[in-house]
Amino acid sequence: MKRLFRSAAAWRLTALTVVVALSALASKPPAALGVATQPTVAVIQFVNGAKAPQTAVSALSNALYQAVQSSGRFTAVGGGPLKVNAAINGDDMTAGLEAGAKAGASEILLGEVLQINRSTVTYRLSAYRVDPLAFIRSQVFSQPNSSTAGLVSGFVTNLSTLHAPRTAVGMIYSVTDGVHADLGTSTGFSLGQRFNVMRNGTKVAEAQIATIQLNDASMTVSNTTSGYSPAIGDQLVGTEPLPAIAPAPSNRVNTFNPLALLVVAGAALLAIGHHGQPANVVPAPSPTFTVAPSFSVTGISTGAPPNPTFVFTFSQPVDTTTVDFATTTFASYQIMHGGIQPNPPAPLTNLGGAPPTFDGTHTVLTVSSSGTIVFGDQVTFTFTSAIHDIFGDALIPHSQPFGPFSTARHPAAGSQKPGPAPGAPKPQSVTPQAPRAPKPQAPKDPHGPHVPR
């Protein structure tokens, strides 16, 4: 009786089985390939299970990519986190494997945001080897939203956890013609490896691998307790740990051909995950952030006095729970009337319009004004480092002027009659007409009643 492996998704097991079964058909004679000094890893953009702002999801994905680059144990490939379309059932493993193969990765990292708030972010990371396909490890992690540098450092630790040594565990599944266990080379076991035999949590014997195949091994049993006889279901616990991922079979030369694998195995996998529709792989641009803070803001203005509107875009979601625009601690404005000395800094709420408002992503701030700014004025907005993003990074202080706001161009004096007074009806256009000739009139009677005699 083979040991059954528990899985959160039967679909994933099906996909893994299909790829492993078909990958042999995709093999070709080995090419002359260089030997990589360390594993190449492709980071797949986080799945937004927590419905967090998309900018936060991108920041987490970029931080994970940066962690791979700075870990010293892996080489990041793909130019940044790779965006893929998940399967119809929401699983992104197949599309991620395809993207990783195209990027030349030996391993992929899948992430999902489970919960995010001001203080912490909780997420799941899963690692898979691309060829030959193998599951490495999946685990839920949580870390503080301290800073971008803190996230990167936390992800580096997570990578070490995912690639930590495994406990060597197996089980006796047959006692016919010897003792046989599910300890094969495909899962990283080797000839001569030693185990403690456990029954009901108690050590009852010791065992060693005598012969080994791809998926099973024959065991020699020694140092048994009184009355012990090997039985199906006895657990084998290794005396030494295994590497995080089982090595490729020793008789398997590097025959991985990404194009052939995708052609042969892709149809079956994509039919499962996408109903025949190919995954859309979009390499993201190289991440522009560094470990140093890069939380910044830019702005534009729309409309004209007396009611212009100002829109500011922040590079990361703002922690709006701590911002108060009724003070000058976080932001302020100054107006210079006609080029003279500017007014003292004032809170944004003093502009007279609707209260300053962030959009749903917490990255776009709209500031309205009403009657405070007139033509000829210049207004300067200042944002301070007291503003923080949801990861705890302080804003790079920023001042941005707008104006002076100029009036519409007027014609030269005397070139035109003054327009109608305010509130007067708009004059109607009239089509010019030729002058009419005066009507002939009969001569007046000189003796008429109006002529004095």
Side-chain angles (χ1 to χ4, degrees), residues 217-233:
S218 62
M219 313 295 295
T220 58
V221 179
S222 61
N223 298 330
T224 61
T225 59
S226 177
Y228 171 75
S229 177
I232 294 174

Side-chain angles (χ1 to χ4, degrees), residues 9-355:
W11 181 88
R12 286 192 174 185
L13 289 177
T14 303
L16 287 169
T17 303
V18 173
V19 173
V20 171
L22 295 181
S23 61
L25 299 178
S27 301
K28 68 174 184 179
L33 298 176
V35 178
T37 57
Q38 55 188 11
T40 53
V41 178
V43 174
I44 310 302
Q45 188 168 48
F46 273 70
V47 174
N48 191 5
K51 294 182 170 52
Q54 188 56 44
T55 49
V57 176
S58 297
L60 288 168
S61 302
N62 287 336
L64 179 58
Y65 185 89
Q66 180 69 17
V68 173
Q69 285 185 315
S70 61
S71 67
R73 299 176 55 190
F74 309 96
T75 298
V77 297
L82 302 179
K83 298 180 180 179
V84 300
N85 288 337
I88 193 67
N89 66 345
D91 193 284
D92 58 347
M93 184 197 71
T94 303
L97 288 168
E98 181 181 348
K102 288 183 177 180
S106 60
E107 180 182 321
I108 65 168
L109 285 172
L110 302 175
E112 180 182 5
V113 184
L114 301 178
Q115 186 178 29
I116 188 169
N117 53 41
R118 163 62 179 154
S119 59
T120 60
V121 55
T122 303
Y123 49 91
R124 178 186 291 108
L125 291 182
S126 302
Y128 292 86
R129 185 176 62 192
V130 175
D131 179 59
L133 181 61
F135 171 70
I136 300 175
R137 188 169 292 172
S138 180
Q139 189 166 328
V140 174
F141 300 95
S142 183
Q143 61 170 300
N145 275 340
S146 55
S147 64
T148 302
L151 283 175
V152 173
S153 177
F155 282 136
V156 170
T157 302
N158 298 159
L159 290 175
S160 296
T161 301
L162 290 177
H163 294 84
R166 296 173 293 144
T167 301
V169 177
M171 185 177 64
I172 295 175
Y173 72 87
S174 173
V175 291
T176 302
D177 297 328
V179 178
H180 300 273
D182 60 345
L183 308 173
T185 57
S186 63
T187 48
F189 296 98
S190 59
L191 187 67
Q193 199 163 354
R194 295 181 176 276
F195 299 81
N196 291 322
V197 182
M198 309 294 292
R199 180 181 293 177
N200 299 324
T202 302
K203 178 180 176 180
V204 292
E206 295 178 359
Q208 185 177 10
I209 296 179
T211 63
I212 190 168
Q213 306 296 327
L214 184 64
N215 295 312
D216 63 356
S218 62
M219 313 295 295
T220 58
V221 179
S222 61
N223 298 330
T224 61
T225 59
S226 177
Y228 171 75
S229 177
I232 294 174
D234 286 349
Q235 189 176 32
L236 303 172
V237 180
T239 58
E240 296 180 356
L242 293 174
I245 181 173
S250 58
N251 62 344
R252 183 183 185 279
V253 187
N254 188 350
T255 57
F256 177 58
N257 178 2
L259 295 179
L261 174 60
L262 295 178
V263 169
V264 177
L269 287 174
L270 295 178
I272 296 172
H274 299 266
H275 290 271
Q277 298 300 317
N280 180 25
V281 181
V282 183
S286 299
T288 56
F289 77 95
T290 62
V291 173
S294 58
F295 182 31
S296 58
V297 61
T298 57
I300 61 172
S301 65
T302 60
N307 303 315
T309 297
F310 306 90
V311 179
F312 298 93
T313 302
F314 293 81
S315 61
Q316 302 287 2
V318 175
D319 179 11
T320 57
T321 61
T322 62
V323 177
D324 182 6
F325 290 125
T327 72
T328 58
T329 301
F330 302 90
S332 62
Y333 73 92
Q334 288 181 278
I335 296 179
M336 181 182 292
H337 297 289
I340 63 175
Q341 186 71 19
N343 293 338
L348 301 189
T349 52
N350 287 14
L351 280 168

